[in-house]
Amino acid sequence: MADDETFMRRAIELARLSLGETSPNPNVGCVIVAADGTVAGEGRTAPVGGPHAEVRALQMAGERARGATAYVTLEPCDHTGRTGPCSKALVAAGVARVVVAVADPNPLAAGGAETLRAAGVAVEFGVTLQEAAREAMEGWLTAVSRGTPYVIWKFAATLDGRSAAADGTSKWITSPAARADVHRLRGQVDAIIAGAGTVRADDPQLTVRSPLGELAARQPLRVVVAGARDTAAGSKVFDASAPTWLVEPGAGRTVDLAAMLRELYARGVRVALLEGGPTLAGAFLAGGLVDRVVAYLAPKLLGAGPAALGPAGISSIAEALTLDVVDLAMIGPDVRLTATVKGA
């Protein structure tokens, strides 16, 4: 139905607005449409500890929820955690029909559809825009299905793939518009990962800031992957503007990146942004730990200098990692290319 698509599209928009705010909970959107066909309530999942999307939408709808249809991007939860089950809240409000885009893969929360149906509520899955909803929640869905965060590798480079000039200078390869877009991207993740070498060389703060340089209210966890030499103590990444986790090497003098990601998941991280240099990026790719690549390409040529990507365990063209490009956009004078890693 055309109306189903319209209302689910709005629920997906709401889900996108919650990116980076809800972990370890999913970023869900909900629209409640009253029996007369008009929108009675909207909601998106609040930061952890706050009400879920369905509850916020029900609060807005009030008595108009009775006999209404609820459009939800993810199956309503059926468990009691920091908040009560959304399935029972929908039943108590008298909702007559629930349209769900994606089933909940989390066994601790799944089962909402059965509870709703047992109470006489009509439940429909995959009616419309299922793939769009899945894409909006891709990070959370992927992380929950395997127990490690969804990893996005972000890098900036010239068109010939250089991350810095031959003399080591790299500030700034891309435009102010691209750098502002990076802060938007940082605001949608739970952790930002960089290596100690990058911290020593560039002294980045690794925070989310506005175009005017103001710190955002919510800051992702900063993760510094230390090498065997030192930990770059005293750098900006260790200031008080955001929490920082220093990951030091084990007995083998290297950091077990897969184990680090498992620990990040245990800490509530569902989506992580890799901003490390070429060596760390190569190690992540060699380990099959990157899900998405976001490349900011400046219309510049250097001809020499460090490459954006270091050794990644690839020795022939037949072994090259293949990417599926999902988006191309002009960001100021630069090109932003977004792609997923096949087989990740």
Side-chain angles (χ1 to χ4, degrees):
M1 292 175 58
D3 286 348
D4 283 343
E5 181 171 329
T6 297
F7 297 130
M8 184 60 78
R9 191 176 303 279
R10 175 56 182 162
I12 293 169
E13 290 175 359
L14 292 167
R16 289 188 180 280
L17 289 174
S18 283
L19 281 169
E21 297 179 353
T22 63
S23 290
N25 294 331
N27 55 304
V28 177
C30 176
V31 175
I32 293 179
V33 178
D36 63 4
T38 60
V39 174
E42 294 184 343
R44 57 190 178 97
T45 303
V48 64
H52 294 183
E54 299 92 322
V55 172
R56 297 180 91 179
L58 288 171
Q59 290 171 344
M60 181 182 293
E63 285 301 313
R64 297 188 68 204
R66 192 159 301 279
T69 296
Y71 295 84
V72 193
T73 57
L74 186 70
E75 180 183 1
C77 68
D78 200 47
H79 81 301
T80 299
R82 293 183 176 91
T83 61
C86 293
S87 56
K88 294 182 179 178
L90 290 164
V91 170
V95 170
R97 176 179 177 239
V98 177
V99 178
V100 180
V102 180
D104 194 334
N106 184 358
L108 294 177
E114 288 82 352
T115 295
L116 288 164
R117 285 173 175 146
V121 179
V123 180
E124 299 176 47
F125 277 90
V127 171
T128 182
L129 300 177
Q130 184 177 18
E131 288 308 310
R134 186 174 295 279
E135 195 278 331
M137 302 180 293
E138 182 179 19
W140 185 87
L141 290 169
T142 302
V144 168
S145 69
R146 69 186 185 202
T148 58
Y150 186 87
V151 176
I152 304 168
W153 173 41
K154 184 277 298 180
F155 70 93
T158 59
L159 285 183
D160 56 340
R162 307 292 177 175
S163 61
D167 64 358
T169 55
S170 61
K171 194 175 181 177
W172 296 99
I173 287 178
T174 53
S175 66
R179 298 197 296 275
D181 196 65
V182 169
H183 284 283
R184 175 200 60 80
L185 180 60
R186 286 179 176 179
Q188 296 180 346
V189 304
D190 308 313
I192 301 172
I193 304 171
T198 296
V199 171
R200 283 193 303 271
D202 300 337
D203 197 18
Q205 196 174 25
L206 298 183
T207 52
V208 182
R209 299 184 298 278
S210 73
L212 298 177
E214 300 166 333
L215 286 169
R218 177 199 164 274
Q219 294 292 334
L221 172 68
R222 300 178 293 195
V223 181
V224 178
V225 183
R229 290 185 295 161
D230 60 58
T231 57
S235 302
K236 291 177 184 175
V237 76
F238 296 107
D239 66 16
S241 58
T244 301
W245 178 33
L246 175 64
V247 185
E248 298 184 279
R253 300 177 68 80
T254 59
V255 171
D256 184 333
L257 298 177
M260 181 188 78
L261 290 176
R262 290 192 295 271
E263 175 60 25
L264 282 173
Y265 185 89
R267 294 181 181 216
V269 172
R270 297 296 177 265
V271 182
L273 182 64
L274 173 62
E275 293 201 31
T279 301
L280 187 60
F284 264 82
L285 285 165
L289 304 175
V290 174
D291 298 288
R292 179 170 289 230
V293 178
V294 179
Y296 293 87
L297 303 175
K300 299 174 183 177
L301 299 170
L302 286 173
L309 178 62
I314 299 168
S315 58
S316 70
I317 192 67
E319 298 172 345
L321 290 174
T322 303
L323 307 179
D324 285 323
V325 176
V326 297
D327 184 66
L328 275 173
M330 293 297 300
I331 308 294
D334 306 311
V335 175
R336 184 190 67 205
L337 182 151
T338 304
T340 56
V341 181
K342 284 188 175 180

